[in-house]
Amino acid sequence: MSNSLYSFAEIEPKWQKYWEKNKTFKTKIDKSKPKYYILDMFPYPSGNGLHVGHPEGYTASDIVSRYKRMKGFNVLHPMGFDAFGLPAETYAIQTGTHPKITTENNIKNFTRQLKMFGFSYDWDRKINTTDPKYYKWTQWIFLQLYKKGLVYEKETPVWWCEGLKSVLANEEVVNGKSERGDYPVKRVMLKQWMLKITKYADRLLEGLDKLDWPESVKEMQRNWIGRSEGAEVIFSVDQREEKIKVFTTRSDTLFGATYMVLAPEHPLVEKITTDEYKEEVENYKKQAMTKSDLVRTELEKDKTGIFTGGYAINPVNNQKIPIWISDYVLWGYGTGAIMAVPAHDQRDYEFAKKFEIKIIQVINGGDIDKESYEGDGIHINSGFLNDLNKEDAISKMNSWLEENNYGKAQVNYKLRDWLFSRQRYWGEPIPLYKDEAGKIYPMKESELPLKLPETEKYKPAGAGKSPLANIREWVEFEDNDGKKYFRETHTMPQWAGSNWYYLRYISPDSESRLVDENDEKYWMPVDFYIGGAEHAVLHLLYARFWHKVLFDIGAVSTDEPFQKLLNQGLILGTDGEKMSKSRRNVVNPDDVIKEFGADSLRIYEMFMGPIERPKPWSTKGLGGSHRFLNRIWRLYIADNGELNPNIKDEKSSEEFEKEFHKTVKIVGEHIEETRFNTAISQMMVFVNTGYKENILNREMMTKFIQLVSPFAPHIAEELWEKMGIAENLTYSSWPVYNKLKLVEDTIEYPVMINGKMRSKVVVNADDDNDKIKEIVLNDSRIQKFIEGKKIFKFLVIPKKIVTVVIK
RNA sequence: GGAUCUGUGGUGGAAUUGGUAUACACGCCACACUCAAAAUGUGGUGUCAAUAGACAUCUGAGUUCAAAUCUCAGCAGAUCCA
């Protein structure tokens, strides 16, 4: 159906080979040029190959790369693979194929596909996170974190699925069952490695202000970090030594605290529970362990809880208040305990109503018989806070707490430390080991990389244990001192490799450092980073965290890694739904390239709509983009294969020349603004105009090829060659437009009367307002409307519109 | 429930950031080429009315000489968070 006039099937491989052979995109430091580092989020090389969503962002970054080269920048534009991950391991468990082999094959396939698009990557810088030469440095960074005291071990629950004999991630657990196989899952307590990202919370928050990122992504990160100012309050436990610390943003409501709630996992629960309640509490704890945090904190859900039999003392009035446990309080969030003020918190209110706990109103307002009141107001029933408003009451209470050693003002973060252990085989081994007494030792940097051992058993070794635990000869070793040591068997999460890959591209072969010092200073920061919005929080936050640590130890010279960020929108199926195998609406780029060529696919994906918006696929629309390339081709090449005889050294018409300069202006500006769809539509206008012209000035037509080249590089190279130009297109200078050509001698003004468009008048560009008014009032159409009416206002908005108000 | 974003022809989307609403493309219609079709080229295409004109940017109000654009209220959808 794609009746092509130009043979993309020959042209595209021809130029891809040419670029590869000539190393056209090889990048070196060149201090005579400004640098530009433009980065794609590197893909996980899945067995399915590329989908049409990948090339959307990659084409956008390729257009900018090619444009910047022509603008005289030294451009670094690399690609690599984030190749550790679950699918290869699952496949290994099923088939016995080593993940290394699967990964190698997939990378080959991905590379083949990426090359078919003609992306201008410097392939000599390709990286692969599973290469020991690469993960040596991932492990090295981990050791630096360890040395800085940012690594610690903590007992935390993980999801264990007996049916799958595997530990599952939160996302893999749906309604207390495994997403795959629907087996029950349970919480298992396990010692795991944590990274103290919370230590960097403030800097991660402040750093956002300087970044040229979408506001939505910055906002998401701010919410994720979740800084809140409040107070720590210390409650003592009735008849016991222990204290309970809570964090609250509403210390002013302390007089209304009528009970406390501990997370079921809170270690104090066991101590304070009286014999009478022991059994119930134990049962409740077991139940809570099966629920995910998401389910537990759902607002609408029915509140559950159990009284422990213990009491705490409210420090402000020495009242005994009951201590409950409930799953709506999470362990690992804040202090795992809350003071409950049912009168002024909705969840506490529902809880208190259900279990008939006392509700004391301490702020005037609302109707406490019906619902909690969370607004501001005058404090009542609050001793020394009475008559104060919220703000004043908070500050007075915080001073009181501090003076009396019952707490202090405190900043709290929603951000939690980063759980860094995975009970998997296909990940970076953690370079730590323990002796028989359990003492932890970091490996020496000179011993890195700690390679993954070969094995044929990829299944986990048992509840919460990694497959590596099966390989005794790897785990146990004797050091020179003759003592026995045990390696850590957990591996790093997939984020680890992707956390710093942008640095490795800068000097992929450096053996002495993770990134060469001089090269790093030249290339960093990444000027422009393009990728999916799904990484708005985790990847982009973790990478910023590591980067700041590297900055602190002097390994990098910038405080932030990614200056500008763009999220491309999802490409949906023709049905407007997310592409998925089960919906059978997946479009395969291999098929598209076979039928229409890579240039057509590139142009189409850029022309679909604004890059950052989600948009549905249209096969017809793709045909239109292909037709556009054919029209370009025919504008240059006649049916006999020779150059179009209209292309000559004579001057083109005034109009066509004007359109050309306008096109140069718009295409350049719109690339800078990443508005590729409108850049393309302007090129279409130029081509449409060109079809009506008899004289296509050779110089203009040459420059137009340059405008096309970032978008459709193959056809551009071919036409460039057919025009007989020897200069290297990739490094030719981007055309400059002549401003004077765009200045009009005359201006056509639309004339509005009482807000309605009534006529148009043409005036000379240098006519003053009086002259314009004269022309307008003499216009016959205008006269018809203003006849017998009084002119109230007469406005000329320069170069825009004339507006008349009559009555 | 919260945060952020979006809402324009039959469809994807433009609109110089408050100034002629619907650029460009898809689809559809007509004409040319053709024995015919495809491809290609040219023209038309918001709705009602057919000279004029009236009405149209999710709904309703407001600001303004002028609103798709700004403000408020509501409705619908998307993403993230709870």
Side-chain angles (χ1 to χ4, degrees), chain A residues 496-508:
Chain A
S498 63
N499 245 6
W500 68 283
Y501 73 109
Y502 55 93
L503 291 171
R504 194 61 185 171
Y505 284 134
I506 289 171
S507 51

Side-chain angles (χ1 to χ4, degrees), chain A residues 16-29:
Chain A
Q16 283 156 19
K17 268 177 217 138
Y18 173 89
W19 294 324
E20 187 149 3
K21 195 177 138 224
N22 291 284
K23 295 221 178 263
T24 306
F25 308 116
K26 177 129 183 112
T27 312
K28 292 194 198 95
I29 285 189

Side-chain angles (χ1 to χ4, degrees), chain A residues 488-499:
Chain A
E488 172 57 57
T489 59
H490 293 172
T491 52
M492 299 189 197
Q494 200 181 355
W495 309 112
S498 63
N499 245 6

Side-chain angles (χ1 to χ4, degrees), chain A residues 677-697:
Chain A
N677 55 329
T678 47
I680 292 170
S681 74
Q682 182 55 40
M683 292 193 282
M684 287 173 170
V685 171
F686 177 81
V687 170
N688 291 347
T689 316
Y691 266 73
K692 288 163 198 146
E693 298 286 326
N694 301 321
I695 303 167
L696 304 172
N697 176 268

Side-chain angles (χ1 to χ4, degrees), chain A residues 326-369:
Chain A
S326 172
D327 60 11
Y328 79 92
V329 176
L330 301 177
W331 179 234
Y333 182 71
T335 59
I338 61 158
M339 64 176 225
V341 184
H344 306 288
D345 179 277
Q346 192 207 332
R347 272 187 238 188
D348 297 348
Y349 185 86
E350 285 167 26
F351 193 88
K353 277 277 177 197
K354 179 166 176 188
F355 296 107
E356 296 174 347
I357 303 171
K358 196 159 61 170
I359 298 174
I360 302 175
Q361 182 166 15
V362 292
I363 296 171
N364 226 342
D367 182 358
I368 297 300
D369 292 334

Side-chain angles (χ1 to χ4, degrees), chain A residues 188-201:
Chain A
V188 177
M189 293 305 274
L190 194 66
K191 262 194 163 180
Q192 306 203 70
W193 296 103
M194 308 289 292
L195 299 189
K196 269 190 202 162
I197 189 171
T198 49
K199 211 181 157 195
Y200 280 73

